[in-house]
Amino acid sequence: MGSKWEADITTQIAPPWTHMSPKRIGDVPEALSTPYAFLRVRRNGTPFYRLDLYYPRDTYCFTTKAIAWNNWLVVGYGDRVTLISNADASTPTTPPEQTLDLASYFMDFWPTTDDLLIMSGHGISCVAPNGQSRWHNNDLGLDGVIIRSVEHGVICGDGEWDPPGDWQPFAIYTATGQSI
């Protein structure tokens, strides 16, 4: 029986979170300052570890979001996504992580059975269950991309090309990210 992982993002913390040594992700300054946000991670409802989130320098931070997906805790912020392994973790030590730089600001996640789709201001990135990037399509929008559906091997959505409001539909293959 596996562990249930949960995470939430907040701008303030209190005990027991303040007593934990944090893992810091993002562009951590040499002279530590208050992070932009705190990510509180629970395992089976019990506080497990804390992440201090520092936004990447010189990037627009539209959305910050964290989800548990397969054996990963996935955090989207600024123009990147960090995947932190929670597979078989028995102690809150520093877990392995991978960072994916996006072509534009992070917008949202769309988890599927086989992959994690990551929307940015310009396109979609696809991550495999092992945490490795499968493909990127950064030609789906100029200022925002949303997914409407994923079915029968096709991702359908809209990309905003002339803000505000000029959304154009797209359809791409889930296996390759190529336009149909």
Side-chain angles (χ1 to χ4, degrees):
M1 185 167 171
S3 298
K4 182 176 180 199
W5 294 88
E6 300 170 335
D8 67 348
I9 297 171
T10 183
T11 57
Q12 298 180 351
I13 56 171
W17 304 102
T18 53
H19 302 298
M20 296 179 172
S21 295
K23 175 173 181 51
R24 295 177 178 94
I25 62 173
D27 288 351
V28 181
E30 286 184 32
L32 284 179
S33 59
T34 302
Y36 178 81
F38 302 95
L39 182 69
R40 299 178 299 187
V41 180
R42 292 177 187 81
R43 188 173 117 194
N44 297 324
T46 302
F48 194 63
Y49 63 85
R50 177 184 112 200
L51 295 159
D52 290 0
L53 180 59
Y54 293 87
Y55 277 0
R57 293 174 187 83
D58 302 321
T59 60
Y60 178 68
C61 295
F62 183 69
T63 302
T64 303
K65 187 172 183 177
I67 63 169
W69 174 72
N70 285 347
N71 290 322
W72 299 97
L73 176 65
V74 188
V75 186
Y77 57 102
D79 61 356
R80 64 181 64 153
V81 171
T82 299
L83 293 93
I84 301 158
S85 175
N86 63 26
D88 303 317
S90 58
T91 61
T93 57
T94 304
E97 72 179 62
Q98 298 179 48
T99 297
L100 172 67
D101 290 321
L102 304 173
S104 182
Y105 58 88
F106 166 78
M107 288 190 66
D108 205 355
F109 299 115
W110 186 291
T112 72
T113 305
D114 300 319
D115 300 303
L116 178 64
L117 302 173
I118 302 165
M119 291 161 272
S120 73
H122 292 171
I124 298 174
S125 297
C126 179
V127 175
N130 66 2
Q132 297 299 309
S133 176
R134 284 193 199 260
W135 54 260
H136 306 280
N137 184 330
N138 295 316
D139 296 318
L140 301 174
L142 180 62
D143 192 29
V145 171
I146 57 172
I147 295 174
R148 287 183 280 114
S149 66
V150 179
E151 51 190 34
H152 308 295
V154 176
I155 301 166
C156 293
D158 295 297
E160 187 175 29
W161 285 99
D162 188 13
D166 183 24
W167 291 85
Q168 300 295 319
F170 65 81
I172 60 176
Y173 292 108
T174 56
T176 63
Q178 294 178 339
S179 295
I180 293 175

Short mmCIF file of all heavy atoms in Angstrom, two decimals, residues 25-28 53-57 59-60 63 65 75-82 99-107 109 118:
data_model
loop_
_atom_site.label_atom_id
_atom_site.label_comp_id
_atom_site.label_asym_id
_atom_site.label_seq_id
_atom_site.Cartn_x
_atom_site.Cartn_y
_atom_site.Cartn_z
N ILE A 25 14.08 25.76 -3.70
CA ILE A 25 14.08 25.59 -5.14
C ILE A 25 13.83 26.94 -5.81
O ILE A 25 13.29 27.85 -5.21
CB ILE A 25 13.04 24.54 -5.62
CG1 ILE A 25 11.62 24.95 -5.26
CG2 ILE A 25 13.37 23.17 -5.07
CD1 ILE A 25 10.55 24.04 -5.85
N GLY A 26 14.26 27.02 -7.06
CA GLY A 26 14.14 28.26 -7.81
C GLY A 26 15.47 28.98 -7.82
O GLY A 26 16.53 28.37 -7.66
N ASP A 27 15.44 30.29 -8.01
CA ASP A 27 16.66 31.11 -8.01
C ASP A 27 16.90 31.60 -6.59
O ASP A 27 16.47 32.68 -6.20
CB ASP A 27 16.52 32.29 -8.98
CG ASP A 27 16.58 31.85 -10.42
OD1 ASP A 27 16.89 30.67 -10.67
OD2 ASP A 27 16.32 32.68 -11.29
N VAL A 28 17.60 30.77 -5.82
CA VAL A 28 17.85 31.05 -4.41
C VAL A 28 18.94 32.11 -4.31
O VAL A 28 20.05 31.91 -4.81
CB VAL A 28 18.25 29.77 -3.66
CG1 VAL A 28 18.49 30.07 -2.18
CG2 VAL A 28 17.21 28.68 -3.83
N LEU A 53 10.19 28.38 -1.98
CA LEU A 53 10.14 28.63 -3.41
C LEU A 53 10.59 30.06 -3.72
O LEU A 53 9.99 31.02 -3.24
CB LEU A 53 8.71 28.41 -3.89
CG LEU A 53 8.40 28.63 -5.35
CD1 LEU A 53 9.25 27.71 -6.22
CD2 LEU A 53 6.93 28.37 -5.61
N TYR A 54 11.65 30.16 -4.50
CA TYR A 54 12.16 31.45 -4.97
C TYR A 54 11.92 31.51 -6.47
O TYR A 54 12.37 30.63 -7.21
CB TYR A 54 13.66 31.57 -4.68
CG TYR A 54 13.97 31.64 -3.21
CD1 TYR A 54 14.15 30.49 -2.46
CD2 TYR A 54 14.06 32.86 -2.57
CE1 TYR A 54 14.42 30.54 -1.11
CE2 TYR A 54 14.34 32.93 -1.21
CZ TYR A 54 14.51 31.77 -0.48
OH TYR A 54 14.78 31.83 0.85
N TYR A 55 11.21 32.53 -6.90
CA TYR A 55 10.91 32.66 -8.32
C TYR A 55 12.16 32.92 -9.13
O TYR A 55 13.10 33.57 -8.65
CB TYR A 55 9.93 33.79 -8.55
CG TYR A 55 8.49 33.40 -8.34
CD1 TYR A 55 8.12 32.11 -7.96
CD2 TYR A 55 7.48 34.31 -8.54
CE1 TYR A 55 6.81 31.77 -7.78
CE2 TYR A 55 6.16 33.97 -8.35
CZ TYR A 55 5.83 32.69 -7.97
OH TYR A 55 4.52 32.34 -7.80
N PRO A 56 12.17 32.45 -10.36
CA PRO A 56 13.30 32.76 -11.25
C PRO A 56 13.38 34.27 -11.47
O PRO A 56 12.36 34.94 -11.56
CB PRO A 56 12.93 32.04 -12.55
CG PRO A 56 11.94 31.00 -12.15
CD PRO A 56 11.21 31.56 -10.98
N ARG A 57 14.59 34.77 -11.53
CA ARG A 57 14.78 36.21 -11.75
C ARG A 57 14.30 36.61 -13.14
O ARG A 57 14.43 35.85 -14.10
CB ARG A 57 16.26 36.56 -11.60
CG ARG A 57 16.76 36.38 -10.18
CD ARG A 57 18.28 36.62 -10.15
NE ARG A 57 18.84 36.30 -8.86
CZ ARG A 57 19.19 35.08 -8.46
NH1 ARG A 57 19.02 34.06 -9.25
NH2 ARG A 57 19.70 34.88 -7.27
N THR A 59 11.47 36.88 -14.60
CA THR A 59 10.39 36.17 -15.28
C THR A 59 9.06 36.58 -14.68
O THR A 59 8.97 36.95 -13.51
CB THR A 59 10.52 34.63 -15.16
OG1 THR A 59 10.49 34.27 -13.78
CG2 THR A 59 11.78 34.12 -15.81
N TYR A 60 8.06 36.50 -15.49
CA TYR A 60 6.71 36.81 -15.04
C TYR A 60 6.12 35.57 -14.38
O TYR A 60 6.18 34.48 -14.95
CB TYR A 60 5.86 37.24 -16.24
CG TYR A 60 4.43 37.53 -15.87
CD1 TYR A 60 4.11 38.62 -15.08
CD2 TYR A 60 3.41 36.70 -16.30
CE1 TYR A 60 2.80 38.89 -14.74
CE2 TYR A 60 2.10 36.96 -15.97
CZ TYR A 60 1.80 38.06 -15.19
OH TYR A 60 0.51 38.32 -14.84
N THR A 63 1.20 32.06 -12.51
CA THR A 63 0.56 31.05 -11.67
C THR A 63 1.62 30.23 -10.95
O THR A 63 2.66 29.95 -11.51
CB THR A 63 -0.27 30.07 -12.55
OG1 THR A 63 -1.23 30.83 -13.28
CG2 THR A 63 -0.98 29.04 -11.71
N LYS A 65 1.65 26.53 -8.87
CA LYS A 65 0.78 25.39 -8.58
C LYS A 65 1.64 24.17 -8.27
O LYS A 65 2.71 24.01 -8.85
CB LYS A 65 -0.12 25.12 -9.78
CG LYS A 65 -1.18 24.08 -9.55
CD LYS A 65 -2.13 24.02 -10.74
CE LYS A 65 -3.24 23.03 -10.49
NZ LYS A 65 -4.20 23.02 -11.62
N VAL A 75 6.00 21.08 -9.21
CA VAL A 75 5.76 22.47 -8.87
C VAL A 75 5.99 23.32 -10.12
O VAL A 75 7.07 23.29 -10.71
CB VAL A 75 6.71 22.95 -7.75
CG1 VAL A 75 6.34 24.36 -7.30
CG2 VAL A 75 6.71 21.99 -6.58
N GLY A 76 4.97 24.09 -10.52
CA GLY A 76 5.09 25.01 -11.64
C GLY A 76 5.15 26.43 -11.11
O GLY A 76 4.32 26.82 -10.29
N TYR A 77 6.13 27.22 -11.58
CA TYR A 77 6.30 28.59 -11.10
C TYR A 77 7.21 29.34 -12.07
O TYR A 77 8.11 28.75 -12.67
CB TYR A 77 6.93 28.61 -9.70
CG TYR A 77 8.25 27.89 -9.60
CD1 TYR A 77 9.45 28.59 -9.57
CD2 TYR A 77 8.32 26.50 -9.58
CE1 TYR A 77 10.66 27.93 -9.50
CE2 TYR A 77 9.52 25.83 -9.51
CZ TYR A 77 10.70 26.55 -9.47
OH TYR A 77 11.90 25.90 -9.41
N GLY A 78 6.95 30.62 -12.24
CA GLY A 78 7.78 31.40 -13.15
C GLY A 78 7.77 30.79 -14.53
O GLY A 78 6.72 30.52 -15.10
N ASP A 79 8.95 30.53 -15.07
CA ASP A 79 9.07 29.90 -16.38
C ASP A 79 9.67 28.52 -16.28
O ASP A 79 10.39 28.06 -17.15
CB ASP A 79 9.89 30.78 -17.33
CG ASP A 79 11.31 30.99 -16.84
OD1 ASP A 79 11.65 30.54 -15.72
OD2 ASP A 79 12.09 31.63 -17.57
N ARG A 80 9.35 27.82 -15.19
CA ARG A 80 9.88 26.47 -15.02
C ARG A 80 8.96 25.58 -14.21
O ARG A 80 8.05 26.03 -13.55
CB ARG A 80 11.26 26.50 -14.39
CG ARG A 80 11.32 27.06 -13.00
CD ARG A 80 12.73 27.08 -12.44
NE ARG A 80 13.57 27.96 -13.21
CZ ARG A 80 14.63 28.59 -12.74
NH1 ARG A 80 15.00 28.42 -11.49
NH2 ARG A 80 15.35 29.39 -13.50
N VAL A 81 9.29 24.30 -14.27
CA VAL A 81 8.59 23.27 -13.50
C VAL A 81 9.67 22.42 -12.85
O VAL A 81 10.64 22.03 -13.50
CB VAL A 81 7.69 22.40 -14.42
CG1 VAL A 81 7.15 21.21 -13.67
CG2 VAL A 81 6.57 23.24 -15.00
N THR A 82 9.52 22.16 -11.56
CA THR A 82 10.44 21.29 -10.84
C THR A 82 9.69 20.03 -10.41
O THR A 82 8.60 20.12 -9.84
CB THR A 82 11.04 22.01 -9.61
OG1 THR A 82 11.77 23.16 -10.06
CG2 THR A 82 11.98 21.10 -8.85
N THR A 99 14.48 19.79 -13.12
CA THR A 99 13.85 21.06 -13.47
C THR A 99 13.72 21.15 -14.99
O THR A 99 14.65 20.82 -15.72
CB THR A 99 14.66 22.25 -12.92
OG1 THR A 99 14.66 22.17 -11.49
CG2 THR A 99 14.04 23.57 -13.33
N LEU A 100 12.56 21.58 -15.41
CA LEU A 100 12.25 21.77 -16.81
C LEU A 100 12.03 23.27 -17.04
O LEU A 100 11.15 23.86 -16.41
CB LEU A 100 10.99 20.99 -17.17
CG LEU A 100 10.38 21.19 -18.54
CD1 LEU A 100 11.32 20.64 -19.62
CD2 LEU A 100 9.03 20.50 -18.62
N ASP A 101 12.86 23.87 -17.89
CA ASP A 101 12.68 25.28 -18.24
C ASP A 101 11.67 25.36 -19.37
O ASP A 101 11.75 24.63 -20.36
CB ASP A 101 14.01 25.90 -18.67
CG ASP A 101 14.97 26.06 -17.50
OD1 ASP A 101 14.51 26.41 -16.41
OD2 ASP A 101 16.17 25.82 -17.69
N LEU A 102 10.72 26.27 -19.22
CA LEU A 102 9.67 26.46 -20.22
C LEU A 102 10.04 27.63 -21.13
O LEU A 102 10.83 28.49 -20.76
CB LEU A 102 8.33 26.73 -19.53
CG LEU A 102 7.87 25.67 -18.52
CD1 LEU A 102 6.62 26.13 -17.78
CD2 LEU A 102 7.63 24.35 -19.22
N ALA A 103 9.42 27.69 -22.30
CA ALA A 103 9.68 28.77 -23.26
C ALA A 103 9.03 30.08 -22.82
O ALA A 103 9.38 31.14 -23.31
CB ALA A 103 9.19 28.38 -24.64
N SER A 104 8.09 29.99 -21.90
CA SER A 104 7.36 31.16 -21.43
C SER A 104 6.87 30.85 -20.02
O SER A 104 7.21 29.81 -19.46
CB SER A 104 6.19 31.45 -22.37
OG SER A 104 5.49 32.60 -21.98
N TYR A 105 6.05 31.71 -19.47
CA TYR A 105 5.58 31.54 -18.10
C TYR A 105 4.69 30.30 -17.95
O TYR A 105 3.93 29.94 -18.85
CB TYR A 105 4.85 32.78 -17.60
CG TYR A 105 3.67 33.19 -18.44
CD1 TYR A 105 2.41 32.66 -18.18
CD2 TYR A 105 3.80 34.10 -19.48
CE1 TYR A 105 1.32 33.00 -18.95
CE2 TYR A 105 2.71 34.46 -20.26
CZ TYR A 105 1.47 33.90 -19.98
OH TYR A 105 0.39 34.25 -20.75
N PHE A 106 4.78 29.65 -16.79
CA PHE A 106 3.97 28.49 -16.46
C PHE A 106 2.50 28.90 -16.31
O PHE A 106 2.20 29.94 -15.72
CB PHE A 106 4.46 27.86 -15.14
CG PHE A 106 3.50 26.87 -14.55
CD1 PHE A 106 3.40 25.60 -15.07
CD2 PHE A 106 2.67 27.23 -13.50
CE1 PHE A 106 2.50 24.68 -14.54
CE2 PHE A 106 1.77 26.32 -12.96
CZ PHE A 106 1.69 25.04 -13.48
N MET A 107 1.60 28.04 -16.84
CA MET A 107 0.16 28.30 -16.70
C MET A 107 -0.57 27.23 -15.89
O MET A 107 -1.27 27.54 -14.95
CB MET A 107 -0.49 28.45 -18.07
CG MET A 107 -0.12 29.74 -18.76
SD MET A 107 -1.09 30.06 -20.24
CE MET A 107 -2.73 30.28 -19.57
N PHE A 109 -1.21 22.50 -15.28
CA PHE A 109 -0.93 21.09 -15.56
C PHE A 109 -2.18 20.42 -16.09
O PHE A 109 -3.30 20.79 -15.74
CB PHE A 109 -0.54 20.35 -14.27
CG PHE A 109 0.69 20.87 -13.58
CD1 PHE A 109 0.60 21.45 -12.33
CD2 PHE A 109 1.93 20.77 -14.18
CE1 PHE A 109 1.73 21.91 -11.68
CE2 PHE A 109 3.07 21.23 -13.54
CZ PHE A 109 2.96 21.80 -12.28
N ILE A 118 2.13 20.11 -19.59
CA ILE A 118 2.41 21.36 -18.89
C ILE A 118 2.17 22.51 -19.86
O ILE A 118 2.81 22.58 -20.91
CB ILE A 118 3.85 21.38 -18.38
CG1 ILE A 118 4.10 20.20 -17.45
CG2 ILE A 118 4.15 22.71 -17.69
CD1 ILE A 118 5.57 19.91 -17.18
#
